[in-house]
């Protein structure tokens, strides 16, 4: 049997192990048991970890102690705070980015039989609400250097049925919006931005939520800021903004002050897509820390970029010219991706594709052959751990593991 001092000595360096108290107090301690515990893999570096500020708990408690736990004054306050933080206007808070996208499709007049040109590399949520509208997603190819939709490929996919361009800023890196907007203007198409990855991104100095007809943000669990689930729609046109506020709450005007029968004269099919004050309080607390979140994420990108350059078999994704990325994912292209993932997994480092190409979903029709770049990078792209709680030693460990080869 070992003494407490001997156990402590053996466990030195493992003070942050989650089972340390159990180990120190384990009575029938044998040397073999301690050695076995200290040689097991202790690294467990997660891909994502939600940033939760210490201010969130008290903020939620305050809401719980008030009358308004549903949609109330804090939702309005969050919208105004979002608008001033990101220099955007006409923000409508909803319960998810999926809901924001659905509202954008309805407000764009997308209906049965319409075609919407989009990227194959995104979350299913990007296109699912198009199916609600009985519209058809048409997949354009992506660019190898950014993984974003290729404007040249968009041109080739336009038909008389095309109603809108639906673009996604992969990993937070803005698409080539000048080219996309020019095509949209020439063909009189709406531009809908799925900015779920892109909170805080800029293109040519302009905030990402101010460029397209509609911009949709996500506050789902692993995004820059989170309320568990949540979303927000920015509408360019004031009429769309007013209608979005009606549609997120049954089609009823919550601010209507006259006769109740007049208030309930619903003429539009609405939804239950509103945000609640519990979520808004959480998001206000997180948004107060946005500068720190942004800086931390930028420092992680800088570290990866300077320590992984010139690693054989590894290529970076570029930031679009004149754009500022929101740095949500750190995606790279690697040769022999299965071996790369295995090596990192064995070292306790999580990696993921995050999203697979959408066209392969049976509900979306199956793999398209006319997407040569998507086909080319399909076996190469992978995202590395990226969250605010990554410590310098975690990052060093990740790059050292990669640099040692796979
Ligand atoms: C590109 C993209 N669009 C839309 C969504 C859906 O967001 P939400 O979960 O807020 O509905 C996600 C979620 O991860 C996403 O990555």
């Amino acid at each position: 049997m070992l003494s407490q001092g001997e156990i402590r000595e053996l466990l030195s360096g493992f003070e942050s192990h989650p089972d340390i108290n159990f180990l120190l107090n384990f009575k029938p301690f044998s040397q073999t048991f301690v050695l076995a515990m200290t040689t097991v893999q202790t690294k467990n570096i997660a891909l994502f970890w939600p940033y939760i500020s210490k201010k969130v708990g008290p903020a939620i408690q305050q809401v719980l102690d008030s009358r308004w736990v549903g949609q109330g004054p804090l939702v309005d306050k969050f919208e105004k705070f979002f608008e001033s933080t990101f220099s955007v206007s006409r923000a409508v808070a909803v319960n998810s980015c999926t809901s924001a996208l659905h509202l954008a499709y309805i407000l764009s007049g997308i209906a049965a039989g319409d075609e919407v040109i989009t990227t194959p590399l995104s979350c299913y949520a990007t296109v699912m609400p198009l199916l609600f509208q009985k519209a058809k997603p048409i997949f354009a190819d992506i660019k190898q250097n950014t993984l974003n939709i290729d404007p040249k490929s968009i041109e080739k996919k336009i038909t008389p049925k095309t109603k809108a361009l639906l673009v996604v800023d992969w990993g937070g890196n803005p698409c080539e919006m000048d080219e996309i907007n020019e095509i949209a203007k020439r063909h009189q198409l709406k531009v809908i931005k799925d900015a779920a990855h892109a909170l805080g991104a800029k293109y040519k100095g302009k905030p990402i939520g101010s460029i397209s007809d509609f911009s949709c943000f996500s506050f789902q669990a692993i995004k820059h800021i989170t309320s568990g689930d949540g979303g927000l729609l920015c509408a360019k046109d004031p009429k769309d903004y007013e209608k979005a506020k009606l549609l997120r709450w049954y089609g009823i005007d919550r601010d209507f002050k006259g006769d109740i029968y007049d208030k309930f004269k619903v003429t539009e099919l609405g939804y239950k897509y509103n945000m609640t004050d519990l979520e808004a309080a959480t998001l206000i607390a997180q948004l107060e820390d946005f500068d720190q979140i942004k800086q931390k994420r930028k420092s992680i990108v800088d570290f990866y970029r300077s320590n992984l350059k010139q690693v054989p078999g590894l290529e970076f994704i570029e930031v679009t010219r004149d754009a500022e990325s929101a740095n949500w994912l750190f995606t790279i292209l690697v040769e022999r991706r299965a071996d790369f993932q295995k090596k990192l997994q064995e070292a306790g480092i999580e990696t993921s594709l995050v999203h697979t190409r959408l066209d392969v979903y049976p509900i979306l029709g199956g793999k398209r052959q006319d997407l040569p770049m998507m086909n080319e990078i399909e076996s190469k792209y992978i995202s590395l751990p990226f969250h605010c709680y990554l410590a310098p030693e975690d990052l060093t460990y990740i790059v050292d593991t990669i640099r040692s080869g796979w």
Side-chain angles (χ1 to χ4, degrees), residues 96-99 101 122-123 125-126 168 194 196-197 217-220 223 229-231 328 355:
S96 71
C97 182
T98 312
S99 303
L101 288 162
S122 190
C123 175
T126 304
V168 179
D194 177 342
H197 298 185
F217 295 90
S218 173
F219 311 118
Q220 171 263 350
K223 298 300 179 344
D229 263 318
W328 183 61
H355 303 304

Side-chain angles (χ1 to χ4, degrees), residues 47-51 122-123 168-174 194-201 218-226 290 293-294 297-298 300-301 304 324-331 352-355 383-388 390:
L47 186 72
F48 297 119
W49 202 290
Y51 173 78
S122 190
C123 175
V168 179
D169 300 332
W170 178 268
N173 175 37
D194 177 342
H197 298 185
L199 188 67
S218 173
F219 311 118
Q220 171 263 350
I222 53 176
K223 298 300 179 344
H224 294 77
I225 59 168
T226 183
F290 192 72
I293 295 172
K294 191 173 147 181
R297 301 188 78 93
K298 175 79 171 64
I300 294 171
V301 168
Y304 276 144
E324 195 184 304
S325 176
N327 293 323
W328 183 61
L329 292 176
F330 192 79
T331 308
S352 172
L353 274 64
V354 184
H355 303 304
S383 289
L384 299 181
F386 199 1
H387 57 79
C388 286
L390 281 172

